[in-house]
Amino acid sequence: MTSRTLLGRLASGPSAGIAAGVLGLGVAELIAALAHGASPLLALGDRVIDLTPRWLKEAAVATFGTADKPILLVCVALVTLILLGVAGALAVRRPVLGAGMFLLLGAVDAAALLADRAGNGTAGVIALVIGLAIGVTALVLLTRTLSGRQETPAEAEAPAGFDRRSFLVAAAAVTAVGAAGGVGAKVVTARRHPTTRLAIPTAVSPAAPLPAGAELPIKGLTPHLTPVDDFYRIDIALLTPRVDVADYRLKIHGLVDNPVELTYEDLLAMPLYERRVTICCVSNEVGGDLIGNATWTGVRIRDVLERAGLDPDADAVKSTGADGITIGTPLEALTDGRDSLLAIAQDGEPLTPDHGFPVRMVVPGLYGYVSATKWLTELEVTRFADFRAYWTDRGWSAEGPIKTQCRIDLPRENPDAAGEVTVAGVAWAQHRGVSKVEVRVDDGPWQPAALAAEDSIDTWRQWSFRWEATAGEHRIQARAYDRTGTPQTGEEAPPAPDGATGYPTRTVTVG
């Protein structure tokens, strides 16, 4: 046997395993989609997310930002393909071992499906069993032609009747059918809840006009309002939930006098309020961009809770999203008069699927992990002592007030020459308001920056500082003060367990 033939032979086993596995997984994905079940591949990804240590999650968000989930899916898919290849290699010499490894991988996936946060795992398991049966059958048929004498690689020879070209054509065909099943599953899921144009009623209380001077005319500075396409997205949903408004129901129950169930139309019929609110992710590093400011339209949460009637012993609300996430929010923050909303629109348009369509929570002053539930389906009035939410169960603090912070946006590049340089950015202290921002260079004295006009205490403020730069390398830092007069702390701390702290710092070299 030539070396080329030997290498082709040795590669045929893994190829058979991958082809058979892709066929089985593709069939399972398609059946699961048709049966409204959880995706086997995404279920694996979800379990990886749930079991990943907090420090590793934070490192992934810090490194990859909003691309963390696509990268995770690619990694899960690659590992799965490698294991399928190993199963194929085993099946050439020991068919039982190859089939057994397929079954073991299926059992792991089934366990992940049964742990599906959204409760759609049973249909996914049934689909997986069917796909697994088809995959094992394909593995046996593909590797049967490879099961010739296999003493050692040096002695390996092609079995009688083996046609490598025919084998590769068969493996490619099997892979293509499996891939077609996966594509079909995506098409079925996308068509189930087509995006529709919805009319948002006029708010009974529109947002106040933007004050003159709230937007500084500085090129490159973060705009006061973040465009929807640029708005950050951090969540645990590997597949964006697609919720049909015709079937939408929001349940309000728990420690209430009268449990309530609201449709999307019920929410549209209630008084709507429009407010500009800056929301922020607790995973935001100092100076990070996991924060955005938008105009939100929705129903006041306190109006909905008052309709249900609150038990005086309650101190929390446990909210649940269509992705299965659970979040715990202090009841006080939802009833103390701040503009906490069940938002249905962002910047005057219905929420996009990525940002929580049809309904999400927006609560000024709290990090998103304790307040910003997307694809909202349930509000349970309860007590913190009686439950643990998704993130608090993973070591984050139960309550997450946003800390006073600022960010340096400019200069983005090293100044070309000495002289006046504009240093600028944004500062936030939601529901307390920003009173001033200071800048220092090379650990010199703190100097006041110019603030843009205040929109509201629930939104960030732009700021700028004119720096007379000299040649050489310089370190620029900034700090903000809230309206109580308290400055942001310079003590450095990571995001976990309740938000990062420290001064944003930028090093530049003046030419």
Side-chain angles (χ1 to χ4, degrees), residues 67-151:
D68 59 338
K69 288 187 286 296
I71 290 173
L72 169 64
L73 278 178
V74 169
C75 291
V76 169
L78 287 176
V79 171
T80 300
L81 290 176
I82 291 171
L83 294 176
L84 290 173
V86 172
L90 291 173
V92 174
R93 300 185 63 183
R94 298 288 187 272
V96 173
L97 288 180
M101 187 165 181
F102 258 50
L103 294 175
L104 178 61
L105 293 174
V108 172
D109 205 353
L113 284 163
L114 292 176
D116 178 62
R117 292 186 297 264
N120 299 320
T122 301
V125 170
I126 295 173
L128 177 65
V129 170
I130 297 172
L132 191 60
I134 292 173
V136 170
T137 301
L139 178 69
V140 172
L141 293 177
L142 286 172
T143 56
R144 180 176 294 174
T145 59
L146 301 174
S147 56
R149 187 163 57 86
Q150 291 271 314
E151 288 81 1

Side-chain angles (χ1 to χ4, degrees), residues 147-470:
S147 56
R149 187 163 57 86
Q150 291 271 314
E151 288 81 1
T152 67
E155 299 172 338
E157 60 183 33
F162 176 73
D163 184 336
R164 182 168 178 267
R165 184 180 299 275
S166 297
F167 168 81
L168 292 177
V169 170
V174 169
T175 303
V177 172
V183 172
K186 289 186 176 295
V187 172
V188 169
T189 301
R191 288 185 175 179
R192 182 173 298 139
H193 303 301
T195 301
T196 56
R197 181 74 177 180
L198 299 172
I200 302 298
T202 302
V204 298
S205 177
L210 189 65
E215 186 88 50
L216 297 179
I218 300 176
K219 184 179 179 180
L221 178 60
T222 298
H224 183 64
L225 286 173
T226 309
V228 174
D229 290 343
D230 296 334
F231 210 94
Y232 81 94
R233 175 196 169 184
I234 294 292
D235 51 56
I236 61 170
L238 290 174
L239 179 66
T240 301
R242 300 280 178 168
V243 182
D244 191 335
V245 294
D247 301 326
Y248 180 75
R249 298 293 184 274
L250 173 60
K251 298 179 181 178
I252 300 95
H253 64 104
L255 298 179
V256 298
D257 300 327
N258 304 296
V260 175
E261 185 173 282
L262 299 173
T263 65
Y264 190 74
E265 290 73 20
D266 291 333
L267 291 172
L268 291 180
M270 295 180 67
L272 298 181
Y273 293 78
E274 184 184 65
R275 296 291 185 267
R276 287 185 292 273
V277 178
T278 298
I279 62 175
C280 181
C281 180
V282 72
S283 295
N284 201 34
E285 298 281 354
V286 173
D289 59 2
L290 300 181
I291 182 171
N293 186 43
T295 304
W296 308 95
T297 304
V299 175
R300 293 190 305 192
I301 296 177
R302 68 175 180 268
D303 292 345
V304 173
L305 295 179
E306 286 173 3
R307 179 181 292 193
L310 299 174
D311 188 309
D313 289 337
D315 65 4
V317 170
K318 177 185 176 183
S319 55
T320 304
D323 60 342
I325 189 70
T326 56
I327 281 177
T329 308
L331 181 60
E332 181 182 6
L334 304 178
T335 57
D336 64 2
R338 72 183 73 186
D339 293 313
S340 299
L341 300 176
L342 299 178
I344 60 173
Q346 182 177 0
D347 294 342
E349 297 292 334
L351 297 172
T352 64
D354 281 349
H355 292 298
F357 179 84
V359 181
R360 68 169 296 162
M361 292 173 63
V362 173
V363 182
L366 299 182
Y367 286 117
Y369 83 104
V370 294
S371 69
T373 311
K374 291 186 282 192
W375 315 291
L376 183 68
T377 60
E378 186 178 338
L379 294 174
E380 180 185 356
V381 180
T382 181
R383 297 179 299 181
F384 277 116
D386 295 337
F387 79 100
R388 291 182 66 83
Y390 182 89
W391 293 114
T392 53
D393 203 33
R394 286 158 176 78
W396 295 84
S397 60
E399 301 183 31
I402 293 176
K403 297 176 179 179
T404 302
Q405 287 283 335
C406 64
R407 184 176 74 204
I408 301 173
D409 292 339
L410 301 175
R412 297 186 184 278
E413 300 177 353
N414 290 329
D416 294 328
E420 185 177 286
V421 172
T422 297
V423 180
V426 288
W428 57 91
Q430 290 92 311
H431 209 56
R432 299 184 304 280
V434 173
S435 61
K436 66 178 178 178
V437 172
E438 295 178 328
V439 176
R440 71 177 177 185
V441 180
D442 298 332
D443 295 322
W446 288 104
Q447 302 178 66
L451 282 177
E454 184 178 70
D455 183 0
S456 80
I457 61 172
D458 293 331
T459 61
W460 60 15
R461 295 181 75 174
Q462 296 174 334
W463 58 268
S464 67
F465 175 76
R466 294 183 177 181
W467 169 42
E468 287 297 329
T470 57

